[in-house]
Structures are given as structure tokens and as C-alpha cells.
Amino acid sequence: MNREISLQRRMIVYGIGLLLLAQIQLRLSLDAAIPYPDLLLLLPLLAALWTPGYDGFILGLLAGFIRDYAAGRGYGLGMIVGMIFGLCASALARDGWRQYGIRGGLLVVVATAVNEWTMSLFAWLTPLNNQRASLGAAMKVSFANMPGRLLSNFVGALLLTGCLALAFFEKNAKSSHGGIMSVTEREFDG
Amino acid sequence: MKRRGPRILLIVGVTVALLVTFILTALPGTTRSRIGDFFGRVFDPVTSVFQGGVDAVGSYFSAVSENRSLKTRLRELEEEGANLRLQITRDKDKVEAFEELKDALHLITHFEDTSITSAAILNREFGPGFDLFRVKAGRKDGISVSGNQTCPVVDQNIALIGRIHSTELSSSKVMPILHEAFSVSARVEGTYRSSFRVRGDLVLRQKGLCIADNIAEGTPINIGDKLITSGEGGVYPEGILIGEVVDVRTDAQGKMITCVVKPAVNLDDLRYVFVLMESADES
């Protein structure tokens, strides 16, 4: 399946998706009884796998900004993390559902873990006052939260994949490579 | 031939710019408000409409199931209202007498010079690094933060939730009582012994608890004691309920070193908060 997705369509899908997912995540954060997926982390990852190029990079920046705005200690940190994840996901993108499943699954695991540890480290490096816990304690808390976050992000990634498949569905799509493909892939690779 | 140079330069440039932005905006009283003001004008109303829509749909379905219990509750409230009206009539004379006495003796009640602004919670914390929550009240509602000056945030029972961390035009970020950077001077309710510190703790936060330390030797604290703000430091007015002592930790000699405190406020159920501000006419 070779997805010839126009820029206009991508902008509409990702624009609406970003706004909607941001609102859903903010809403989910109010009912924090169970772990919920970090949709603003997952969107750039999966978008970059789906349509490689600069989509993940830009979405990472935008989603990171919303995270910074909503709950961050300053602006920029969430954007850097989102941007880097978007770029890494773009570099890993390959054709085909099988590759998407394998690489997407790995990306979700690695991105969740790296995000958790990186943000814990940054939070530790930039305390909001002159007292701070030990780095070991911060990392221990990160590890303790990891299983719940991984599970919720996996579920979120599956749901998001379904949404992207529907949003980019083409009735007469030709399957030349037997997987996900974007015209922008070559742009990114030069 | 692939030209990676410009792309790498772009990525490095953006990263450096974002790092500088983070350093600038993470410092107190910096440019964060301008960025947030601009974005918040568009984003906050959308968030409010979305959450209002979700609440409306939820309310529609829950209204059917809760109708019976509401009727019962309404009857109880009407009865309670009647009793309260009766009590008000009885206490009217006492209130008048109290006001006269207060004027005569120049008594000052708690929070007299404080105005209160209510605010809906727009979102909660997301995890490490994104550990503040946002409420829908900002500079246009009179909330301002500068240097050591901040505003306490409480619930409807005047139990401490946290303090304002930063403000935008129409919204503010709140540092909750469980945050490791939060600290407040406290004392045991009903005593006037020396005050100590109650602060957030990274590990205890996972259990919804915080810690009391800097406790002077001989300070009588027992499990079950209620802690209130001491008023020292000038940020938090005296008498705001902080929480209850659930554990007392001692050293090898049996001296008390810290207490574990369960905040009075249930942070999981919060939807609205109240920001205490000094009245404008205080001067």
C-alpha cells in the first residue's frame, strides 16, 4: 500500500488530531485514577512512522509546546524532547505494517522510558527551589511508574494507529510495497 | 548526493534556541508570560469548551441515574435549609454583638484582608518535568506572582492545595502541596508552640503524603494531630488547614525528627480551587 498523502490532507489530519488529542489528554489528567496514555508524546512518534519527513519533527515541537504550556516548568524542554523523538521516529520509518508494528512497538517502549528518565533528570537538574531529592530517589520513582506508563502508552498507540489508519484511508490505494509508505519519505532521506 | 549539512544545522539551531528558551522561561518572573499569554488566548477557551462539552454529555447520562438520589437529597437539603434559617434568626443577635465587640477591640479575623478568586482546574500534572497543574484564573483576575510573593491556593474548606507558581493572562500554574519544591511553615492546631516546616517529598508524593521537618526538640506532635499554617514567612495566612499527622519518625535516641503528613485536601477529586489574594485596598 503506497500512501500518496497530500500536504493539505496531512495538515488537516495532524492539525485536528493534535488539537483533539491535546484536549483529551488534558481532560484525562483531571481523572487521574488510572494511568492514561501520553497522547502528546505518541502523536509525533506515530505520525513520523506513518508519514516520514518533517511531520514528526514539527508535530513534536507543537505537542511539546502544549505539554510545556499545560504543566511544564518553563518552555522548551518538552519541545526538544518531542522534536528529537519525531526525528528519531522518522529515521526509523520503513514500509509495511509488519515493520510499522515492530518499529512502532520498540519506539513506544524506548520513547516512554527515555521520556520518563530524561524528564526526571531535567526536573532534578532544575529544581524549583533550593531543596531537592537525590537523583537516585528521582530515578527510583521513575522506575516505579514505568509499567503503568508503558501499558497505557501501548494502548494509546494502538488506538492512535487505528485513528491514523482511518484518517489516511484510501479506497483505491495501491499496495506496491505491502506496507505504509509516504511520498515525503524520500524528502527526509534527501 | 544527500545534503545533510543544512538539516543538521537547522536541528542544532532549533535545539539551542529551545534550550535558551527553557533556561529563560524556567527562571521566575521571566518571559514565560508573553508566550503563554498569546497561546492561552486561543487554547484556554478551546479547553474550557471541550471540558464543558464532556461534562455536559456526562451530566446528561448521570442525571437519569441520579435523579432518585437527588430527590432524596433535595428533601434533606430543604429540611437542613429550614433549620439553618432558624439558626440564623437565633444567631442574628450574637453576630451583631460580635461585630460591635470586634469594632470596639479592633480584633482581626483570619483572612480579613484577603480576597478569594475561584478557578476551574484546566489540567493536572502529566509526570516528571510536567508536574504543575493549570487553573483558569490569571493576571486579568488579579493574580500576580513576583519574587517571593505568591498566592496560596485552597479548596472550599480552606484546606491548603498549594501555591501559584506562575501566571499568564487568563490562567495560572499551581504547585501542589505534594510537589518536592513546595514548603510551608506550620504548627499544630490549637497550640502556639514553635513552628516547623511541611514540605513535599518526591518518594512520599507517590502515596499522596508529604513530610514535616525542622521540628524543634520537645514540640509535642502526635499521630492524628491537625497541622495548620503558622503565618510565618508572610506568604500563607495563619490558620489554613494543611493536613493530619499519620506517622512520627524518630531517630536512634528516640528523638522525633520528621512526621509524615496526609494533606487535608483530596487532590484527586479537585475540580475547582480558590486563590487567596491580598485585597487591593489593603494599603
Side-chain angles (χ1 to χ4, degrees), chain A residues 23 27 29 31 54 68-69 72-73 75 83 129 131 141 188-189, chain B residues 2 7 15 22 25 44 47 55 124 131 134 173 180-181 197 206 271:
Chain A
Q23 297 304 333
R27 176 68 202 189
S29 74
D31 305 307
Y54 284 103
D68 284 338
Y69 173 78
R73 298 178 176 193
Y75 289 98
M83 178 189 82
N129 66 0
Q131 67 190 28
V141 170
F188 181 72
D189 289 337
Chain B
K2 292 178 179 179
R7 199 168 63 219
T15 308
F22 176 68
T25 54
D44 288 344
T47 304
D55 285 339
R124 303 280 294 279
D131 45 11
R134 183 169 285 277
K173 280 181 191 163
E180 64 270 20
R197 180 175 68 171
Q206 307 303 311
R271 284 297 164 90

PDB file of all heavy atoms in Angstrom, chain A residues 23 27 29 31 54 68-69 72-73 75 83 129 131 141 188-189, chain B residues 2 7 15 22 25 44 47 55 124 131 134 173 180-181 197 206 271:
ATOM      1  N   GLN A  23      -6.675  18.069  23.914  1.00  0.00           N
ATOM      2  CA  GLN A  23      -7.846  18.264  24.775  1.00  0.00           C
ATOM      3  C   GLN A  23      -8.186  16.978  25.535  1.00  0.00           C
ATOM      4  O   GLN A  23      -8.529  17.020  26.719  1.00  0.00           O
ATOM      5  CB  GLN A  23      -9.060  18.707  23.941  1.00  0.00           C
ATOM      6  CG  GLN A  23      -8.902  20.040  23.253  1.00  0.00           C
ATOM      7  CD  GLN A  23      -8.565  21.157  24.218  1.00  0.00           C
ATOM      8  OE1 GLN A  23      -8.910  21.102  25.399  1.00  0.00           O
ATOM      9  NE2 GLN A  23      -7.869  22.166  23.741  1.00  0.00           N
ATOM     10  N   ARG A  27      -8.056  16.501  29.568  1.00  0.00           N
ATOM     11  CA  ARG A  27      -9.263  16.019  30.242  1.00  0.00           C
ATOM     12  C   ARG A  27      -8.948  14.755  31.066  1.00  0.00           C
ATOM     13  O   ARG A  27      -9.383  14.620  32.203  1.00  0.00           O
ATOM     14  CB  ARG A  27     -10.341  15.739  29.192  1.00  0.00           C
ATOM     15  CG  ARG A  27     -11.608  15.141  29.726  1.00  0.00           C
ATOM     16  CD  ARG A  27     -12.353  16.124  30.577  1.00  0.00           C
ATOM     17  NE  ARG A  27     -13.256  15.441  31.476  1.00  0.00           N
ATOM     18  CZ  ARG A  27     -14.165  16.055  32.221  1.00  0.00           C
ATOM     19  NH1 ARG A  27     -14.287  17.357  32.171  1.00  0.00           N
ATOM     20  NH2 ARG A  27     -14.934  15.381  33.012  1.00  0.00           N
ATOM     21  N   SER A  29      -6.217  13.954  32.346  1.00  0.00           N
ATOM     22  CA  SER A  29      -5.377  14.271  33.510  1.00  0.00           C
ATOM     23  C   SER A  29      -6.222  14.671  34.723  1.00  0.00           C
ATOM     24  O   SER A  29      -5.763  14.556  35.855  1.00  0.00           O
ATOM     25  CB  SER A  29      -4.398  15.398  33.166  1.00  0.00           C
ATOM     26  OG  SER A  29      -5.060  16.640  33.090  1.00  0.00           O
ATOM     27  N   ASP A  31      -9.023  13.190  35.602  1.00  0.00           N
ATOM     28  CA  ASP A  31      -9.495  11.955  36.238  1.00  0.00           C
ATOM     29  C   ASP A  31      -8.320  10.992  36.305  1.00  0.00           C
ATOM     30  O   ASP A  31      -8.230  10.045  35.543  1.00  0.00           O
ATOM     31  CB  ASP A  31     -10.624  11.324  35.423  1.00  0.00           C
ATOM     32  CG  ASP A  31     -11.755  12.316  35.205  1.00  0.00           C
ATOM     33  OD1 ASP A  31     -12.227  12.883  36.196  1.00  0.00           O
ATOM     34  OD2 ASP A  31     -12.146  12.521  34.056  1.00  0.00           O
ATOM     35  N   TYR A  54       9.340  15.688   7.709  1.00  0.00           N
ATOM     36  CA  TYR A  54       9.415  16.631   8.826  1.00  0.00           C
ATOM     37  C   TYR A  54       8.132  16.649   9.665  1.00  0.00           C
ATOM     38  O   TYR A  54       7.993  17.480  10.552  1.00  0.00           O
ATOM     39  CB  TYR A  54       9.729  18.038   8.304  1.00  0.00           C
ATOM     40  CG  TYR A  54      11.191  18.183   7.925  1.00  0.00           C
ATOM     41  CD1 TYR A  54      11.585  18.158   6.595  1.00  0.00           C
ATOM     42  CD2 TYR A  54      12.163  18.308   8.907  1.00  0.00           C
ATOM     43  CE1 TYR A  54      12.919  18.260   6.249  1.00  0.00           C
ATOM     44  CE2 TYR A  54      13.497  18.407   8.569  1.00  0.00           C
ATOM     45  CZ  TYR A  54      13.874  18.394   7.237  1.00  0.00           C
ATOM     46  OH  TYR A  54      15.196  18.495   6.915  1.00  0.00           O
ATOM     47  N   ASP A  68       4.459  21.788  27.565  1.00  0.00           N
ATOM     48  CA  ASP A  68       5.141  22.828  28.352  1.00  0.00           C
ATOM     49  C   ASP A  68       4.137  23.849  28.886  1.00  0.00           C
ATOM     50  O   ASP A  68       4.207  24.267  30.044  1.00  0.00           O
ATOM     51  CB  ASP A  68       6.179  23.563  27.487  1.00  0.00           C
ATOM     52  CG  ASP A  68       7.431  22.739  27.273  1.00  0.00           C
ATOM     53  OD1 ASP A  68       7.695  21.836  28.086  1.00  0.00           O
ATOM     54  OD2 ASP A  68       8.144  22.994  26.287  1.00  0.00           O
ATOM     55  N   TYR A  69       3.218  24.238  28.009  1.00  0.00           N
ATOM     56  CA  TYR A  69       2.231  25.249  28.391  1.00  0.00           C
ATOM     57  C   TYR A  69       1.335  24.736  29.518  1.00  0.00           C
ATOM     58  O   TYR A  69       1.062  25.456  30.482  1.00  0.00           O
ATOM     59  CB  TYR A  69       1.381  25.632  27.178  1.00  0.00           C
ATOM     60  CG  TYR A  69       0.229  26.553  27.517  1.00  0.00           C
ATOM     61  CD1 TYR A  69       0.433  27.909  27.731  1.00  0.00           C
ATOM     62  CD2 TYR A  69      -1.064  26.054  27.655  1.00  0.00           C
ATOM     63  CE1 TYR A  69      -0.607  28.747  28.063  1.00  0.00           C
ATOM     64  CE2 TYR A  69      -2.117  26.889  27.982  1.00  0.00           C
ATOM     65  CZ  TYR A  69      -1.887  28.226  28.186  1.00  0.00           C
ATOM     66  OH  TYR A  69      -2.931  29.046  28.530  1.00  0.00           O
ATOM     67  N   GLY A  72       4.382  22.360  32.269  1.00  0.00           N
ATOM     68  CA  GLY A  72       5.841  22.424  32.343  1.00  0.00           C
ATOM     69  C   GLY A  72       6.351  23.511  33.267  1.00  0.00           C
ATOM     70  O   GLY A  72       5.626  24.426  33.622  1.00  0.00           O
ATOM     71  N   ARG A  73       7.633  23.375  33.613  1.00  0.00           N
ATOM     72  CA  ARG A  73       8.250  24.371  34.490  1.00  0.00           C
ATOM     73  C   ARG A  73       8.746  25.569  33.693  1.00  0.00           C
ATOM     74  O   ARG A  73       9.103  26.593  34.259  1.00  0.00           O
ATOM     75  CB  ARG A  73       9.414  23.730  35.225  1.00  0.00           C
ATOM     76  CG  ARG A  73       8.966  22.582  36.100  1.00  0.00           C
ATOM     77  CD  ARG A  73      10.147  21.943  36.776  1.00  0.00           C
ATOM     78  NE  ARG A  73       9.708  20.901  37.693  1.00  0.00           N
ATOM     79  CZ  ARG A  73      10.487  20.350  38.599  1.00  0.00           C
ATOM     80  NH1 ARG A  73      11.738  20.726  38.718  1.00  0.00           N
ATOM     81  NH2 ARG A  73      10.029  19.415  39.396  1.00  0.00           N
ATOM     82  N   TYR A  75       9.289  26.866  29.121  1.00  0.00           N
ATOM     83  CA  TYR A  75       9.022  26.478  27.730  1.00  0.00           C
ATOM     84  C   TYR A  75      10.309  25.982  27.078  1.00  0.00           C
ATOM     85  O   TYR A  75      11.367  26.591  27.271  1.00  0.00           O
ATOM     86  CB  TYR A  75       8.479  27.663  26.950  1.00  0.00           C
ATOM     87  CG  TYR A  75       7.075  28.036  27.355  1.00  0.00           C
ATOM     88  CD1 TYR A  75       6.848  29.059  28.252  1.00  0.00           C
ATOM     89  CD2 TYR A  75       5.988  27.343  26.856  1.00  0.00           C
ATOM     90  CE1 TYR A  75       5.569  29.396  28.640  1.00  0.00           C
ATOM     91  CE2 TYR A  75       4.711  27.665  27.239  1.00  0.00           C
ATOM     92  CZ  TYR A  75       4.507  28.693  28.129  1.00  0.00           C
ATOM     93  OH  TYR A  75       3.241  29.016  28.509  1.00  0.00           O
ATOM     94  N   MET A  83      10.639  17.009  19.595  1.00  0.00           N
ATOM     95  CA  MET A  83      11.335  17.164  18.323  1.00  0.00           C
ATOM     96  C   MET A  83      12.299  16.000  18.076  1.00  0.00           C
ATOM     97  O   MET A  83      12.315  15.422  16.988  1.00  0.00           O
ATOM     98  CB  MET A  83      12.103  18.487  18.357  1.00  0.00           C
ATOM     99  CG  MET A  83      12.915  18.792  17.150  1.00  0.00           C
ATOM    100  SD  MET A  83      13.956  20.234  17.437  1.00  0.00           S
ATOM    101  CE  MET A  83      15.341  19.497  18.309  1.00  0.00           C
ATOM    102  N   ASN A 129      13.224  25.072  43.840  1.00  0.00           N
ATOM    103  CA  ASN A 129      13.758  25.790  44.998  1.00  0.00           C
ATOM    104  C   ASN A 129      15.082  25.147  45.394  1.00  0.00           C
ATOM    105  O   ASN A 129      15.598  24.302  44.674  1.00  0.00           O
ATOM    106  CB  ASN A 129      12.755  25.819  46.158  1.00  0.00           C
ATOM    107  CG  ASN A 129      12.511  24.449  46.726  1.00  0.00           C
ATOM    108  OD1 ASN A 129      13.074  23.467  46.275  1.00  0.00           O
ATOM    109  ND2 ASN A 129      11.657  24.373  47.725  1.00  0.00           N
ATOM    110  N   GLN A 131      15.898  23.035  47.624  1.00  0.00           N
ATOM    111  CA  GLN A 131      15.913  21.684  48.180  1.00  0.00           C
ATOM    112  C   GLN A 131      15.551  20.684  47.096  1.00  0.00           C
ATOM    113  O   GLN A 131      14.664  20.916  46.286  1.00  0.00           O
ATOM    114  CB  GLN A 131      14.921  21.572  49.331  1.00  0.00           C
ATOM    115  CG  GLN A 131      13.480  21.708  48.896  1.00  0.00           C
ATOM    116  CD  GLN A 131      12.568  21.821  50.078  1.00  0.00           C
ATOM    117  OE1 GLN A 131      12.953  22.294  51.121  1.00  0.00           O
ATOM    118  NE2 GLN A 131      11.335  21.392  49.889  1.00  0.00           N
ATOM    119  N   VAL A 141      11.656   6.564  41.547  1.00  0.00           N
ATOM    120  CA  VAL A 141      10.247   6.899  41.322  1.00  0.00           C
ATOM    121  C   VAL A 141       9.892   6.692  39.848  1.00  0.00           C
ATOM    122  O   VAL A 141       8.830   6.172  39.505  1.00  0.00           O
ATOM    123  CB  VAL A 141       9.971   8.360  41.763  1.00  0.00           C
ATOM    124  CG1 VAL A 141       8.592   8.810  41.320  1.00  0.00           C
ATOM    125  CG2 VAL A 141      10.108   8.498  43.274  1.00  0.00           C
ATOM    126  N   PHE A 188      12.844  13.310   3.328  1.00  0.00           N
ATOM    127  CA  PHE A 188      13.631  13.294   4.571  1.00  0.00           C
ATOM    128  C   PHE A 188      15.008  12.678   4.362  1.00  0.00           C
ATOM    129  O   PHE A 188      15.998  13.146   4.876  1.00  0.00           O
ATOM    130  CB  PHE A 188      12.870  12.503   5.639  1.00  0.00           C
ATOM    131  CG  PHE A 188      13.600  12.479   6.936  1.00  0.00           C
ATOM    132  CD1 PHE A 188      13.670  13.611   7.716  1.00  0.00           C
ATOM    133  CD2 PHE A 188      14.269  11.346   7.360  1.00  0.00           C
ATOM    134  CE1 PHE A 188      14.364  13.604   8.913  1.00  0.00           C
ATOM    135  CE2 PHE A 188      14.954  11.338   8.545  1.00  0.00           C
ATOM    136  CZ  PHE A 188      14.999  12.468   9.317  1.00  0.00           C
ATOM    137  N   ASP A 189      15.018  11.615   3.534  1.00  0.00           N
ATOM    138  CA  ASP A 189      16.300  10.953   3.305  1.00  0.00           C
ATOM    139  C   ASP A 189      17.163  11.706   2.304  1.00  0.00           C
ATOM    140  O   ASP A 189      18.259  11.297   1.987  1.00  0.00           O
ATOM    141  CB  ASP A 189      16.064   9.524   2.790  1.00  0.00           C
ATOM    142  CG  ASP A 189      15.531   8.670   3.917  1.00  0.00           C
ATOM    143  OD1 ASP A 189      15.773   9.029   5.086  1.00  0.00           O
ATOM    144  OD2 ASP A 189      14.856   7.669   3.647  1.00  0.00           O
TER     145      ASP A 189
ATOM    146  N   LYS B   2      23.275  13.477  -1.036  1.00  0.00           N
ATOM    147  CA  LYS B   2      22.438  13.990   0.046  1.00  0.00           C
ATOM    148  C   LYS B   2      23.103  15.182   0.710  1.00  0.00           C
ATOM    149  O   LYS B   2      24.307  15.156   0.974  1.00  0.00           O
ATOM    150  CB  LYS B   2      22.212  12.888   1.074  1.00  0.00           C
ATOM    151  CG  LYS B   2      21.356  11.761   0.552  1.00  0.00           C
ATOM    152  CD  LYS B   2      21.217  10.692   1.598  1.00  0.00           C
ATOM    153  CE  LYS B   2      20.343   9.571   1.068  1.00  0.00           C
ATOM    154  NZ  LYS B   2      20.215   8.505   2.045  1.00  0.00           N
ATOM    155  N   ARG B   7      20.358  20.580   7.164  1.00  0.00           N
ATOM    156  CA  ARG B   7      19.343  19.989   8.036  1.00  0.00           C
ATOM    157  C   ARG B   7      19.878  19.826   9.460  1.00  0.00           C
ATOM    158  O   ARG B   7      19.189  20.117  10.442  1.00  0.00           O
ATOM    159  CB  ARG B   7      18.919  18.637   7.473  1.00  0.00           C
ATOM    160  CG  ARG B   7      17.578  18.184   8.022  1.00  0.00           C
ATOM    161  CD  ARG B   7      17.038  17.020   7.282  1.00  0.00           C
ATOM    162  NE  ARG B   7      17.894  15.861   7.400  1.00  0.00           N
ATOM    163  CZ  ARG B   7      18.151  15.005   6.414  1.00  0.00           C
ATOM    164  NH1 ARG B   7      17.644  15.209   5.226  1.00  0.00           N
ATOM    165  NH2 ARG B   7      18.918  13.955   6.610  1.00  0.00           N
ATOM    166  N   THR B  15      17.462  23.290  18.545  1.00  0.00           N
ATOM    167  CA  THR B  15      17.723  22.738  19.887  1.00  0.00           C
ATOM    168  C   THR B  15      18.340  23.791  20.796  1.00  0.00           C
ATOM    169  O   THR B  15      17.920  23.948  21.953  1.00  0.00           O
ATOM    170  CB  THR B  15      18.658  21.508  19.786  1.00  0.00           C
ATOM    171  OG1 THR B  15      18.109  20.601  18.842  1.00  0.00           O
ATOM    172  CG2 THR B  15      18.818  20.826  21.116  1.00  0.00           C
ATOM    173  N   PHE B  22      14.186  27.570  27.372  1.00  0.00           N
ATOM    174  CA  PHE B  22      13.873  26.879  28.620  1.00  0.00           C
ATOM    175  C   PHE B  22      14.569  27.546  29.801  1.00  0.00           C
ATOM    176  O   PHE B  22      13.957  27.773  30.840  1.00  0.00           O
ATOM    177  CB  PHE B  22      14.278  25.405  28.529  1.00  0.00           C
ATOM    178  CG  PHE B  22      14.076  24.669  29.826  1.00  0.00           C
ATOM    179  CD1 PHE B  22      12.797  24.436  30.303  1.00  0.00           C
ATOM    180  CD2 PHE B  22      15.147  24.243  30.581  1.00  0.00           C
ATOM    181  CE1 PHE B  22      12.598  23.783  31.510  1.00  0.00           C
ATOM    182  CE2 PHE B  22      14.958  23.588  31.783  1.00  0.00           C
ATOM    183  CZ  PHE B  22      13.683  23.357  32.250  1.00  0.00           C
ATOM    184  N   THR B  25      12.826  30.854  30.475  1.00  0.00           N
ATOM    185  CA  THR B  25      11.455  30.789  30.989  1.00  0.00           C
ATOM    186  C   THR B  25      11.338  29.989  32.286  1.00  0.00           C
ATOM    187  O   THR B  25      10.326  30.084  32.971  1.00  0.00           O
ATOM    188  CB  THR B  25      10.508  30.173  29.946  1.00  0.00           C
ATOM    189  OG1 THR B  25      11.044  28.910  29.538  1.00  0.00           O
ATOM    190  CG2 THR B  25      10.351  31.070  28.752  1.00  0.00           C
ATOM    191  N   ASP B  44      -6.927  28.177  25.852  1.00  0.00           N
ATOM    192  CA  ASP B  44      -7.729  28.012  27.071  1.00  0.00           C
ATOM    193  C   ASP B  44      -9.238  27.994  26.803  1.00  0.00           C
ATOM    194  O   ASP B  44      -9.956  27.151  27.354  1.00  0.00           O
ATOM    195  CB  ASP B  44      -7.379  29.102  28.092  1.00  0.00           C
ATOM    196  CG  ASP B  44      -5.997  28.865  28.699  1.00  0.00           C
ATOM    197  OD1 ASP B  44      -5.483  27.743  28.557  1.00  0.00           O
ATOM    198  OD2 ASP B  44      -5.436  29.794  29.284  1.00  0.00           O
ATOM    199  N   THR B  47     -10.083  24.639  25.455  1.00  0.00           N
ATOM    200  CA  THR B  47     -10.064  23.638  26.528  1.00  0.00           C
ATOM    201  C   THR B  47     -11.335  23.722  27.369  1.00  0.00           C
ATOM    202  O   THR B  47     -11.944  22.700  27.695  1.00  0.00           O
ATOM    203  CB  THR B  47      -8.834  23.860  27.432  1.00  0.00           C
ATOM    204  OG1 THR B  47      -7.663  23.836  26.617  1.00  0.00           O
ATOM    205  CG2 THR B  47      -8.706  22.779  28.488  1.00  0.00           C
ATOM    206  N   ASP B  55     -18.348  17.366  30.112  1.00  0.00           N
ATOM    207  CA  ASP B  55     -19.134  17.391  31.357  1.00  0.00           C
ATOM    208  C   ASP B  55     -20.627  17.354  31.068  1.00  0.00           C
ATOM    209  O   ASP B  55     -21.391  16.679  31.755  1.00  0.00           O
ATOM    210  CB  ASP B  55     -18.796  18.651  32.169  1.00  0.00           C
ATOM    211  CG  ASP B  55     -17.441  18.523  32.841  1.00  0.00           C
ATOM    212  OD1 ASP B  55     -16.978  17.383  33.003  1.00  0.00           O
ATOM    213  OD2 ASP B  55     -16.858  19.560  33.195  1.00  0.00           O
ATOM    214  N   ARG B 124      -4.237  18.624  35.015  1.00  0.00           N
ATOM    215  CA  ARG B 124      -3.366  18.222  36.123  1.00  0.00           C
ATOM    216  C   ARG B 124      -1.978  17.928  35.588  1.00  0.00           C
ATOM    217  O   ARG B 124      -1.729  18.048  34.383  1.00  0.00           O
ATOM    218  CB  ARG B 124      -3.951  16.970  36.792  1.00  0.00           C
ATOM    219  CG  ARG B 124      -5.373  17.156  37.300  1.00  0.00           C
ATOM    220  CD  ARG B 124      -5.376  17.887  38.623  1.00  0.00           C
ATOM    221  NE  ARG B 124      -4.757  17.063  39.638  1.00  0.00           N
ATOM    222  CZ  ARG B 124      -5.367  16.080  40.278  1.00  0.00           C
ATOM    223  NH1 ARG B 124      -6.616  15.801  40.024  1.00  0.00           N
ATOM    224  NH2 ARG B 124      -4.732  15.363  41.188  1.00  0.00           N
ATOM    225  N   ASP B 131       4.973  18.752  36.112  1.00  0.00           N
ATOM    226  CA  ASP B 131       4.418  18.412  37.414  1.00  0.00           C
ATOM    227  C   ASP B 131       3.652  19.563  38.073  1.00  0.00           C
ATOM    228  O   ASP B 131       3.516  19.611  39.291  1.00  0.00           O
ATOM    229  CB  ASP B 131       5.523  17.900  38.344  1.00  0.00           C
ATOM    230  CG  ASP B 131       6.771  18.763  38.282  1.00  0.00           C
ATOM    231  OD1 ASP B 131       6.698  19.855  37.696  1.00  0.00           O
ATOM    232  OD2 ASP B 131       7.809  18.355  38.826  1.00  0.00           O
ATOM    233  N   ARG B 134      -2.738  23.473  35.928  1.00  0.00           N
ATOM    234  CA  ARG B 134      -3.150  24.778  35.428  1.00  0.00           C
ATOM    235  C   ARG B 134      -4.592  25.071  35.832  1.00  0.00           C
ATOM    236  O   ARG B 134      -5.455  24.197  35.738  1.00  0.00           O
ATOM    237  CB  ARG B 134      -3.027  24.800  33.897  1.00  0.00           C
ATOM    238  CG  ARG B 134      -3.356  26.133  33.248  1.00  0.00           C
ATOM    239  CD  ARG B 134      -2.957  26.126  31.789  1.00  0.00           C
ATOM    240  NE  ARG B 134      -1.522  26.242  31.627  1.00  0.00           N
ATOM    241  CZ  ARG B 134      -0.860  27.401  31.640  1.00  0.00           C
ATOM    242  NH1 ARG B 134      -1.507  28.542  31.779  1.00  0.00           N
ATOM    243  NH2 ARG B 134       0.433  27.423  31.490  1.00  0.00           N
ATOM    244  N   LYS B 173      -0.344  28.527  36.682  1.00  0.00           N
ATOM    245  CA  LYS B 173       0.113  27.194  37.063  1.00  0.00           C
ATOM    246  C   LYS B 173       0.213  27.133  38.582  1.00  0.00           C
ATOM    247  O   LYS B 173       0.670  28.091  39.216  1.00  0.00           O
ATOM    248  CB  LYS B 173       1.476  26.906  36.448  1.00  0.00           C
ATOM    249  CG  LYS B 173       1.402  26.482  34.990  1.00  0.00           C
ATOM    250  CD  LYS B 173       2.766  26.195  34.455  1.00  0.00           C
ATOM    251  CE  LYS B 173       2.714  26.050  32.938  1.00  0.00           C
ATOM    252  NZ  LYS B 173       4.025  26.175  32.327  1.00  0.00           N
ATOM    253  N   GLU B 180       7.807  18.449  45.374  1.00  0.00           N
ATOM    254  CA  GLU B 180       9.012  18.447  46.214  1.00  0.00           C
ATOM    255  C   GLU B 180       9.580  19.848  46.450  1.00  0.00           C
ATOM    256  O   GLU B 180      10.393  20.044  47.360  1.00  0.00           O
ATOM    257  CB  GLU B 180      10.090  17.528  45.632  1.00  0.00           C
ATOM    258  CG  GLU B 180      10.647  17.920  44.282  1.00  0.00           C
ATOM    259  CD  GLU B 180       9.890  17.310  43.124  1.00  0.00           C
ATOM    260  OE1 GLU B 180       8.721  16.900  43.303  1.00  0.00           O
ATOM    261  OE2 GLU B 180      10.470  17.256  42.029  1.00  0.00           O
ATOM    262  N   ALA B 181       9.153  20.820  45.639  1.00  0.00           N
ATOM    263  CA  ALA B 181       9.656  22.183  45.829  1.00  0.00           C
ATOM    264  C   ALA B 181       8.721  23.014  46.714  1.00  0.00           C
ATOM    265  O   ALA B 181       8.984  24.187  46.971  1.00  0.00           O
ATOM    266  CB  ALA B 181       9.814  22.873  44.482  1.00  0.00           C
ATOM    267  N   ARG B 197       8.458  23.056  59.478  1.00  0.00           N
ATOM    268  CA  ARG B 197       8.222  23.107  58.038  1.00  0.00           C
ATOM    269  C   ARG B 197       7.475  21.867  57.562  1.00  0.00           C
ATOM    270  O   ARG B 197       7.785  20.751  57.966  1.00  0.00           O
ATOM    271  CB  ARG B 197       9.563  23.203  57.302  1.00  0.00           C
ATOM    272  CG  ARG B 197       9.458  23.264  55.800  1.00  0.00           C
ATOM    273  CD  ARG B 197      10.802  23.486  55.150  1.00  0.00           C
ATOM    274  NE  ARG B 197      11.685  22.337  55.313  1.00  0.00           N
ATOM    275  CZ  ARG B 197      12.860  22.192  54.702  1.00  0.00           C
ATOM    276  NH1 ARG B 197      13.298  23.142  53.906  1.00  0.00           N
ATOM    277  NH2 ARG B 197      13.601  21.124  54.910  1.00  0.00           N
ATOM    278  N   GLN B 206       4.247   9.840  45.856  1.00  0.00           N
ATOM    279  CA  GLN B 206       3.600   8.721  45.167  1.00  0.00           C
ATOM    280  C   GLN B 206       2.460   8.141  46.001  1.00  0.00           C
ATOM    281  O   GLN B 206       1.543   7.535  45.463  1.00  0.00           O
ATOM    282  CB  GLN B 206       4.624   7.609  44.877  1.00  0.00           C
ATOM    283  CG  GLN B 206       5.875   8.078  44.147  1.00  0.00           C
ATOM    284  CD  GLN B 206       5.569   8.761  42.830  1.00  0.00           C
ATOM    285  OE1 GLN B 206       4.813   8.223  42.027  1.00  0.00           O
ATOM    286  NE2 GLN B 206       6.115   9.935  42.607  1.00  0.00           N
ATOM    287  N   ARG B 271     -11.821  19.808  41.315  1.00  0.00           N
ATOM    288  CA  ARG B 271     -12.202  20.386  40.031  1.00  0.00           C
ATOM    289  C   ARG B 271     -12.120  21.910  40.087  1.00  0.00           C
ATOM    290  O   ARG B 271     -11.908  22.551  39.072  1.00  0.00           O
ATOM    291  CB  ARG B 271     -13.626  19.970  39.635  1.00  0.00           C
ATOM    292  CG  ARG B 271     -13.726  18.548  39.123  1.00  0.00           C
ATOM    293  CD  ARG B 271     -12.921  18.395  37.844  1.00  0.00           C
ATOM    294  NE  ARG B 271     -12.652  17.018  37.497  1.00  0.00           N
ATOM    295  CZ  ARG B 271     -13.430  16.269  36.732  1.00  0.00           C
ATOM    296  NH1 ARG B 271     -14.534  16.783  36.242  1.00  0.00           N
ATOM    297  NH2 ARG B 271     -13.113  15.042  36.442  1.00  0.00           N
TER     298      ARG B 271
END
